[in-house]
């Protein structure tokens, strides 16, 4: 009986040592989130900048109804003359459409206030 007990302990010891040696190299068993835990996180994109000049480069514009249109967008090149092709309604008398930062703004001619953002 002593011989069989010794044999069982030797077999058990070899089995444990064999599994401990195989475990660190066995990466095929990892699935899901834990496998990709150490990958770099994606860098979020910065919002579009509203100016190409160096001194205004870090300023962003969030257009809201009631705000004044920034001076840069008061130039005629931002004025939307063919509002039908952009699927906009006709501007009321005293207003005009402006395209700025991929948005359309309905702006007053007199005080440059924004009355609609599309």
């Amino acid at each position: 009986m002593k011989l069989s007990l010794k044999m069982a302990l030797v077999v058990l010891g070899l089995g444990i040592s064999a599994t401990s040696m195989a475990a660190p190299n066995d990466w095929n068993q990892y699935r899901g989130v834990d496998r990709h835990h150490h990958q770099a996180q994606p860098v979020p994109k910065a919002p579009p900048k509203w100016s190409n000049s160096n001194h205004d480069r870090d300023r962003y514009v969030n257009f809201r109804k009631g705000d004044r249109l920034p001076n840069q967008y008061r130039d005629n090149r931002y004025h939307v003359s063919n509002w039908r092709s952009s699927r906009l309604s006709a501007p009321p008398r005293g207003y005009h459409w402006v395209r700025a930062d991929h948005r359309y703004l309905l702006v007053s001619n007199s005080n440059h206030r924004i009355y609609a953002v599309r």
Side-chain angles (χ1 to χ4, degrees):
M1 184 144 163
K2 286 186 179 185
L3 184 60
S4 63
L5 182 61
K6 284 184 182 180
M7 194 61 118
L9 290 174
V10 168
V11 169
L12 182 64
L14 288 175
I16 290 173
S17 66
T19 56
S20 66
M21 294 176 78
N25 296 327
D26 191 17
W27 289 101
N28 292 332
Q29 300 300 320
Y30 284 92
R31 303 272 188 246
V33 178
D34 293 336
R35 183 177 186 183
H36 304 289
H37 179 68
H38 295 290
Q39 288 184 351
Q41 297 294 324
V43 178
K45 292 182 179 180
K49 300 200 177 0
W50 70 280
S51 174
N52 291 330
S53 62
N54 291 333
H55 60 86
D56 287 334
R57 189 163 210 130
D58 295 331
R59 293 186 62 191
Y60 303 103
V61 175
N62 187 14
F63 298 111
R64 293 185 191 156
K65 183 178 177 180
D67 289 347
R68 291 173 82 64
L69 186 68
N71 288 335
Q72 177 184 354
Y73 294 111
R74 295 179 189 176
D75 192 275
N76 282 338
R77 64 182 166 167
Y78 297 103
H79 182 80
V80 177
S81 58
N82 193 359
W83 42 268
R84 285 187 186 112
S85 67
S86 301
R87 297 182 182 194
L88 298 170
S89 60
R93 184 179 302 241
Y95 295 89
H96 65 280
W97 286 104
V98 172
R99 178 157 169 87
D101 283 343
H102 306 290
R103 287 176 277 177
Y104 292 101
L105 312 170
L106 184 61
V107 179
S108 170
N109 293 340
S110 60
N111 61 6
H112 304 289
R113 293 273 180 200
I114 300 171
Y115 285 93
V117 179
R118 303 223 196 273

